[in-house]
Amino acid sequence: MAKLILNDDEIDLEDGSRIKDACEEAGVPFACEEGICGTCVIEVEEGMENLSDFTEEEEDFLGDECDERLACQCKIKGGCVKVSF
């Protein structure tokens, strides 16, 4: 079982699941949900290694890999990830 910490709320997620729904419930804004618009940019404070690899959409929008991700594109592999928006 993976854990997503979002604005001090701890959310248990199945390993390999998308983080989109948990982020949306916490107030992260979403628009296109396809990695094009960038409204769902989150900052990964801890546990980047526990997220899926950057998608082509994220690389196109964010440029070089950094501490930011698009919540609509991420899956949590396991472990703990702390994000903010």
Side-chain angles (χ1 to χ4, degrees):
M1 181 77 53
K3 183 181 296 187
L4 179 68
I5 302 172
L6 180 59
N7 294 338
D8 297 323
D9 291 330
E10 294 186 9
I11 304 155
D12 291 326
L13 297 172
E14 294 291 325
D15 291 350
S17 65
R18 295 181 64 189
I19 66 168
K20 182 206 165 291
D21 291 337
C23 289
E24 190 169 35
E25 287 177 21
V28 174
F30 285 85
C32 73
E33 299 181 16
E34 297 171 8
I36 298 169
C37 72
T39 59
C40 65
V41 173
I42 54 173
E43 181 179 347
V44 180
E45 297 177 8
E46 297 174 20
M48 181 71 83
E49 69 277 4
N50 294 326
L51 291 174
S52 56
D53 293 337
F54 277 71
T55 64
E56 184 176 327
E57 292 80 9
E58 288 177 294
E59 290 173 358
D60 289 346
F61 187 84
L62 299 170
D64 291 335
E65 293 182 17
C66 58
D67 292 340
E68 294 180 328
R69 297 292 303 265
L70 298 176
C72 70
Q73 298 293 300
C74 294
K75 292 183 180 179
I76 191 166
K77 298 188 288 188
C80 183
V81 177
K82 182 176 183 180
V83 301
S84 60
F85 63 98

